[in-house]
Amino acid sequence: MKKVIIIGGGLTGLSAAHYINKQASQEAVDWQLFESDDHFGGKFHTVHRDGFIIEKGPDSFLARKPAGLALVEELGLTDQLITNATGKSYIYHDAALRPIPEGSVMGIPTDIRALLESDLLTQDGKIRALEELMLDSNVTDEDQSIGDFFEQRFGKEMVVRLIEPLLAGIYAGNIYEMSLRATFPQFEQVAKEHRSLMYGLKSHRPETVNTTGTAKTIGAFRTLSGGLSTLTDALVDSLPAERLHASTKVKAIENTTVVLESGERIVADAIIIAATHDVVLSLLDTPAVKPLAEQPMTSLATISLAFDKAAVPEIPEGTGFLVARTGDYNITACTWVHEKWPHMVPKGKILLRGFLGKAGQVGLLDQTDEEMANKVQADLREMIGLTGEPLFYEVSRMKEAMPQYTVGHQERLAFVEKELKHSHPTVFLAGMSYRGVGIPDCIQAGKAAADEACQLLEQVMP
């Protein structure tokens, strides 16, 4: 019997187990999954409290990426899918919530009139942004940073006030260090095809997603009615319990042998490391993975604040806001959960979810829950006039949770995978550190690793 070891019991590892379990004969393949924590599901953590559904990890996934919806269907959860409510989105800049221009695609305007009417940019900033329509393509042979690419096209003001809050928020990163090619290759492709991003995105807008600042659209995101922990719980329930091992840490990988912290040694025909790159560096002693050491990680925190509706002043119509880094604030964004996901909040109540964590920030998670909650409330008092005291709050800490795809990421990854095939041909990497940080990306990464492992087993099967 062939043996497959999966290291990591988050969404990626569970997805890998799911697809191996579907593809491989139970009589021919013995797969085992090891998770160092005392539970499976990784960052997924849904709290049900006083009628509220509170996500302390991810709260939704993009519907346009097929891996997420496909897994939901395979697990029989389709009837639990919920689409987000849409509405205005704002950016907090210069002491005010300012609507994102209608029709913007991830901060890139496609409606000239909406851009000209926006109060996010000065008159000079708008003129500079409109010059983008006449500029030559700035796509280069070499990878470049998101910030450099967009500043050359639209100018510094638009990048700082509109583009950076949206794009940096997804990865909690510094857009002048993040790789355009590894994070948002669609913009590079549009610039190649149309020269002007504004023109190209407008002509393709029916196929684009993440149109921001637009109220009358179909929501791009999905969740499950009972919270996203339903997804990872269903994965665990669908798999043979005897093959899932929590509180079991892998200490090292020596050639084809997996060494557990207990001292047990397991010779494997295929090994899937379904974890972030820092785990890979701790398990493999080979020059093949050394370039991964250049990839930084950012810590994050979310603070969910529950209120009686009567205790909170009127909040502008919409679903939330991002914060431009033109002021000294703690939060980077705030979601009005009761507006975006009404099913998660009881009638007569309000739920605000504040986000903390920026690239290069140190000491974030050293603060107490109370200190973080107080900082979020202080910002919200200024930003939306918050006056009431919360009924309760829930704090989520995610240490070094977000890998940063810095410039040259794809080239480094190609080198690692090529060298790893020579030094450790039975080891496969999967997880957030490589080809996407979203839920569908992690599911697809787990499936791809499972496919590769099964193909390898077919080659060596007697």
Side-chain angles (χ1 to χ4, degrees):
M1 179 176 285
K2 300 301 177 183
K3 187 174 285 291
V4 178
I5 299 298
I6 302 168
I7 301 170
L11 177 62
T12 304
L14 292 172
S15 298
H18 171 78
Y19 287 107
I20 287 178
N21 203 52
K22 284 185 64 175
Q23 295 180 52
S25 164
Q26 301 299 302
E27 294 73 29
V29 177
D30 172 25
W31 63 264
Q32 302 290 328
L33 183 150
F34 298 111
E35 166 56 47
S36 61
D37 213 334
D38 60 1
H39 67 278
F40 302 105
K43 299 176 180 67
F44 287 74
H45 186 191
T46 304
V47 171
H48 294 259
R49 180 172 177 178
D50 298 342
F52 291 82
I53 300 173
I54 299 172
E55 297 289 11
K56 298 184 75 169
D59 73 345
S60 59
F61 61 92
L62 272 173
R64 71 175 173 90
K65 294 188 174 183
L69 290 176
L71 181 59
V72 166
E73 183 177 358
E74 290 171 23
L75 295 172
L77 301 175
T78 303
D79 61 341
Q80 299 185 40
L81 281 170
I82 303 286
T83 300
N84 67 288
T86 60
K88 284 185 179 180
S89 297
Y90 301 84
I91 290 177
Y92 188 81
H93 164 67
D94 196 20
L97 289 177
R98 303 178 188 278
I100 295 173
E102 288 284 327
S104 298
V105 178
M106 296 301 292
I108 314 304
T110 62
D111 186 324
I112 293 176
R113 183 173 181 177
L115 175 63
L116 292 174
E117 292 175 350
S118 172
D119 62 355
L120 257 173
L121 303 182
T122 65
Q123 199 65 25
D124 286 344
K126 294 173 186 178
I127 292 170
R128 173 62 184 88
L130 289 175
E131 290 176 2
E132 195 272 342
L133 291 165
M134 299 172 285
L135 294 180
D136 292 333
S137 171
N138 62 330
V139 175
T140 59
D141 293 335
E142 300 288 325
D143 192 15
Q144 58 184 310
S145 77
I146 298 170
D148 289 332
F149 175 77
F150 284 109
E151 184 174 334
Q152 189 174 341
R153 298 214 63 80
F154 294 101
K156 184 79 170 180
E157 183 176 297
M158 185 168 136
V159 168
V160 171
R161 298 188 187 185
L162 182 54
I163 295 175
E164 182 180 43
L166 284 154
L167 301 190
I170 295 173
Y171 288 86
N174 180 342
I175 65 170
Y176 286 94
E177 296 177 356
M178 293 164 59
S179 161
L180 174 69
R181 203 159 285 172
T183 55
F184 300 102
Q186 65 269 36
F187 291 130
E188 190 175 53
Q189 188 59 39
V190 170
K192 277 183 180 178
E193 293 179 5
H194 299 276
R195 182 182 52 78
S196 165
L197 276 176
M198 289 181 67
Y199 173 78
L201 290 172
K202 184 178 180 66
S203 63
H204 285 290
R205 214 168 81 186
E207 289 79 41
T208 61
V209 295
N210 291 354
T211 302
T212 50
T214 304
K216 297 178 181 179
T217 57
I218 297 173
F221 298 94
R222 302 290 183 272
T223 190
L224 296 171
S225 56
L228 278 182
S229 286
T230 305
L231 177 64
T232 49
D233 289 346
L235 272 170
V236 172
D237 291 343
S238 72
L239 296 168
E242 67 275 10
R243 299 190 177 208
L244 303 175
H245 310 277
S247 302
T248 308
K249 186 174 182 179
V250 176
K251 182 180 179 181
I253 297 172
E254 299 173 357
N255 295 321
T256 59
T257 301
V258 173
V259 183
L260 303 185
E261 195 169 54
S262 64
E264 182 181 354
R265 301 172 68 87
I266 306 168
V267 178
D269 297 282
I271 302 167
I272 297 173
I273 308 178
T276 46
H277 61 281
D278 54 322
V279 175
V280 175
L281 289 164
S282 71
L283 295 178
L284 290 174
D285 183 16
T286 170
V289 299
K290 295 306 180 188
L292 296 177
E294 300 177 30
Q295 188 169 357
M297 304 272 280
T298 298
S299 296
L300 305 170
T302 63
I303 293 82
S304 297
L305 302 153
F307 296 88
D308 282 318
K309 189 173 184 178
V312 178
E314 193 70 24
I315 296 175
E317 179 266 329
T319 57
F321 65 92
L322 298 116
V323 180
R325 296 181 189 181
T326 52
D328 186 18
Y329 300 104
N330 293 291
I331 67 172
T332 58
C334 180
T335 299
W336 304 331
V337 181
H338 55 285
E339 295 289 351
K340 187 174 182 179
W341 304 107
H343 74 286
M344 301 178 76
V345 182
K347 288 185 178 179
K349 307 294 182 183
I350 280 176
L351 185 64
L352 305 176
R353 191 184 195 205
F355 295 79
L356 301 175
K358 306 171 186 176
Q361 185 176 13
V362 295
L364 170 66
L365 302 188
D366 294 335
Q367 302 172 58
T368 66
D369 287 1
E370 184 178 11
E371 286 172 335
M372 283 196 276
N374 286 340
K375 286 184 176 181
V376 169
Q377 289 179 80
D379 283 351
L380 293 180
R381 279 193 285 272
E382 175 182 333
M383 293 171 172
I384 61 173
L386 182 67
T387 55
E389 290 297 315
L391 300 169
F392 63 84
Y393 57 80
E394 290 280 353
V395 175
S396 173
R397 300 159 180 271
M398 292 169 274
K399 185 177 181 181
E400 296 186 340
M402 190 63 72
Q404 302 296 295
Y405 297 177
T406 53
V407 174
H409 174 80
Q410 290 184 326
E411 290 78 6
R412 289 190 297 273
L413 181 57
F415 172 86
V416 168
E417 291 179 333
K418 178 182 177 182
E419 294 301 310
L420 206 55
K421 282 185 178 180
H422 294 296
S423 65
H424 291 76
T426 61
V427 173
F428 304 97
L429 306 183
M432 295 174 64
S433 291
Y434 312 112
R435 291 185 173 86
V437 299
I439 288 174
D441 300 312
C442 291
I443 294 169
Q444 180 58 38
K447 183 179 186 302
D451 290 344
E452 288 184 297
C454 288
Q455 289 170 13
L456 176 65
L457 296 183
E458 288 176 2
Q459 295 171 11
V460 299
M461 286 285 192

